[in-house]
């Protein structure tokens, strides 16, 4: 068995993601025959069949599914190598790869990153917006903002505090449907919530909140879509209280009966603490998120 080349593994991951040779070729900016040759040569070097043709494209075999996490780890390491080489450790230049949840990445971080970029124009930010926790140990990201406590021991993590989750509705909705005074009154209202249970939903359930998808008249697993629905006056939904407080038309409901804490952490691999651009970004995010969590106003300039 020969050691596969990185070009072959890169094509393999692209086909896994796109489901076709043509899609993988477009994402890699290669020709379709080149990607096809890479897959053929990879199968020959490993002695396994990786894909079978189906009506919807190329379907991964069991062997491909087993190999994909290892190839993804290699890809993350290669990207980390490029980021590390993109700037000297002692200088404020290069690339910082940052991971955050949908709401944090879309609603909270942009003003902080704008201030950071003005102060450090030679540092480029790569922002991953996903509710999946990126693996810092495998260097899928340099810095991650997490809404749960990091459990990996080799991370440098700073607890910012707890963001309170509350029920909110737009004034237009309340003018139309009335304002509920208790949780029991919510039964007659349009509620906005999840379609499928997620880790965040299960965390709320552990805190004692009884939630099922049948409770909601609008169901979506996108946090940003839920927020957009609340702003549009579609119904009552859960929102971070400091975020909702920025909009005078969003009204918090029954705060004494519904208030759930959501921890906020900033974490990075401890090996990166001496890399200047990473430390600059880390410290700036800690300061900005502290201001957000504790209602201290807009993020400060670094």
């Amino acid at each position: 068995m020969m050691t596969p080349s990185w070009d072959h593994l890169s094509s393999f991951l692209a086909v896994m993601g796109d489901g076709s040779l043509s899609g993988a070729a477009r994402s890699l900016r290669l020709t379709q025959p080149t990607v096809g040759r890479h897959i053929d040569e990879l199968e020959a070097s490993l002695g396994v069949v990786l894909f079978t043709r189906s009506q919807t494209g190329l379907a991964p075999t069991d062997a491909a599914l087993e190999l994909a996490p290892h190839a993804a780890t290699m890809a993350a390491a290669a990207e980390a190598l490029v980021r590390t080489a993109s700037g000297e450790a002692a200088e404020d230049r290069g690339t910082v790869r940052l991971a955050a949840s949908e709401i944090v990445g879309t609603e909270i971080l942009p003003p902080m990153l704008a201030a950071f970029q003005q102060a450090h124009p030679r540092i480029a930010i790569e922002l991953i917006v996903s509710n999946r926790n990126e693996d810092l140990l495998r260097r899928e990201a340099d810095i991650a903002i997490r809404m749960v406590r990091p459990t990996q021991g080799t991370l440098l993590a700073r607890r910012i505090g707890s963001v309170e989750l509350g029920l909110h509705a737009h004034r237009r909705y309340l003018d139309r449907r009335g304002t509920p005074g208790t949780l029991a009154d919510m039964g007659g209202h349009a509620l906005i919530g999840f379609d499928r249970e997620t880790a965040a939903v299960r965390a709320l359930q552990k805190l004692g909140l009884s939630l099922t998808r049948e409770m909601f008249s609008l169901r979506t697993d996108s946090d940003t879509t839920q927020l957009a629905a609340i702003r549009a006056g579609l119904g009552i939904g859960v929102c971070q209280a400091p975020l909702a407080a920025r909009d005078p038309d969003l009204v918090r409901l029954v705060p004494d009966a519904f208030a759930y804490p959501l921890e906020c952490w900033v974490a990075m691999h401890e090996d990166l603490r001496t890399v200047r651009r990473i430390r600059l970004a880390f410290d700036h995010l800690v300061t900005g998120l502290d201001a957000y969590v504790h209602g201290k106003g807009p993020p400060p300039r670094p």
Side-chain angles (χ1 to χ4, degrees):
M1 183 178 294
M2 298 173 58
T3 301
S5 76
W6 172 241
D7 286 342
H8 294 169
L9 291 172
S10 180
S11 292
F12 164 67
L13 287 173
V15 175
M16 287 289 293
D18 292 296
S20 67
L21 294 177
S22 59
R26 285 192 298 271
S27 64
L28 294 173
R29 297 183 180 180
L30 298 174
T31 65
Q32 184 171 331
T34 297
V35 176
R37 186 178 72 254
H38 286 173
I39 298 301
D40 291 341
E41 291 174 354
L42 181 61
E43 289 180 330
S45 67
L46 296 177
V48 296
V49 176
L50 297 173
F51 298 98
T52 59
R53 294 193 176 276
S54 68
Q55 294 181 347
T56 58
L58 294 180
T61 63
D62 289 342
L65 294 174
E66 291 180 1
L67 292 173
H70 302 291
T73 297
M74 294 178 64
E79 292 172 0
L81 183 148
V82 172
R83 292 198 303 276
T84 300
S86 71
E88 297 297 332
E91 297 185 8
D92 62 340
R93 67 180 179 89
T95 301
V96 176
R97 190 167 175 84
L98 174 63
S101 66
E102 278 189 357
I103 290 294
V104 172
T106 304
E107 296 284 338
I108 300 167
L109 286 189
M112 299 181 198
L113 297 180
F116 182 79
Q117 189 178 56
Q118 289 177 20
H120 306 287
R122 298 193 302 168
I123 299 179
I125 299 293
E126 296 177 352
L127 180 58
I128 310 168
V129 177
S130 171
N131 287 340
R132 184 181 77 89
N133 283 334
E134 303 298 320
D135 193 334
L136 296 177
L137 295 185
R138 294 195 301 178
R139 304 296 176 85
E140 294 176 350
D142 299 318
I143 302 173
I145 299 168
R146 293 182 172 173
M147 311 315 284
V148 294
R149 182 187 184 97
T151 57
Q152 295 162 312
T154 56
L155 298 182
L156 174 63
R158 182 78 61 83
R159 184 181 185 276
I160 306 301
S162 293
V163 181
E164 198 165 82
L165 298 179
L167 291 171
H168 294 81
H170 196 280
R171 293 187 187 279
R172 288 193 304 270
Y173 173 84
L174 299 177
D175 290 343
R176 187 172 70 248
R177 298 286 300 271
T179 301
T182 66
L183 283 177
D185 296 337
M186 298 286 178
H189 283 268
L191 302 181
I192 299 166
F194 63 87
D195 182 29
R196 293 168 296 182
E197 284 192 7
T198 63
V201 171
R202 289 190 289 272
L204 288 175
Q205 290 171 337
K206 289 181 180 178
L207 291 174
L209 185 61
S210 178
L211 292 173
T212 62
R213 66 186 302 276
E214 287 72 22
M215 298 168 59
F216 309 118
S217 59
L218 176 65
R219 303 164 187 159
T220 174
D221 293 325
S222 167
D223 293 339
T224 52
T225 303
Q226 289 184 22
L227 178 58
I230 296 171
R231 287 171 171 163
L234 282 173
I236 299 170
V238 176
C239 179
Q240 295 183 19
L243 178 59
R246 297 177 176 180
D247 187 342
D249 288 325
L250 292 185
V251 179
R252 186 168 182 183
L253 305 171
V254 295
D256 294 335
F258 190 103
Y260 290 86
L262 186 66
E263 287 195 341
C264 180
W265 294 77
V266 182
M268 68 177 179
H269 197 288
E270 62 180 8
D271 291 346
L272 297 175
R273 70 169 71 205
T274 58
V275 180
R276 178 168 169 74
R277 68 184 185 279
I278 305 295
R279 191 70 203 210
L280 286 169
F282 183 90
D283 291 343
H284 178 68
L285 290 170
V286 167
T287 302
L289 288 167
D290 180 80
Y292 167 74
V293 168
H294 297 99
K296 299 176 183 177
R301 293 184 180 274

